[in-house]
Amino acid sequence: MALPEQERGWWIARWEIEQDSCPQCGRPREECGDPTKRWYPQRSICYATREAAAAQRMYDHLHAEKPFHDGTYSGWVKDFAPGAGKIYRYEDGASIWAAPVDLNPEDKFLAGG
């Protein structure tokens, strides 16, 4: 059974857009493939992802010496002492991307520190 003409046109247009889109950034290839175009690095923070990454790191550390259990989650290493509690790595929750304009010039995340 063939699709109606209007729906067929929509699917073809969508396919053509996907074919012309960069698989890395999703922009049109002619835009991101232009070596003369200026791009500005940007950073976005997802605090939910950051918290999950910190929890995963703590969980990994807790079970570094005895990573296996009997299914009851009860035989864990008791000498876990992270000291400061949650510790975040620089990449926890951060996404680095580029935009054709500097959307947040106050964020000097590449300056170090």
Side-chain angles (χ1 to χ4, degrees):
M1 180 162 122
L3 293 172
E5 175 105 16
Q6 184 178 5
E7 190 171 348
R8 217 177 16 236
W10 182 87
W11 282 104
I12 291 170
R14 181 176 174 186
W15 179 84
E16 288 173 345
I17 290 170
E18 287 175 359
Q19 297 308 301
D20 188 44
S21 297
C22 173
Q24 294 179 8
C25 71
R27 291 181 178 85
R29 292 177 193 267
E30 67 181 39
E31 183 180 337
C32 70
D34 181 354
T36 64
K37 187 165 180 70
R38 176 105 165 109
W39 293 97
Y40 298 87
Q42 306 291 308
R43 174 178 61 169
S44 297
I45 304 295
C46 173
Y47 293 100
T49 301
R50 185 183 75 171
E51 290 301 319
Q56 182 68 53
R57 191 168 298 104
M58 290 176 69
Y59 194 67
D60 290 346
H61 183 77
L62 251 175
H63 304 292
E65 291 182 31
K66 296 182 182 179
F68 304 101
H69 60 84
D70 61 3
T72 65
Y73 291 91
S74 61
W76 303 118
V77 176
K78 295 182 181 189
D79 59 356
F80 176 67
K86 290 183 200 171
I87 298 172
Y88 302 110
R89 283 180 53 95
Y90 64 92
E91 77 265 51
D92 292 349
S95 295
I96 307 300
W97 50 286
V101 294
D102 196 349
L103 300 171
N104 190 3
E106 296 82 28
D107 188 0
K108 305 292 185 200
F109 69 96
L110 293 177

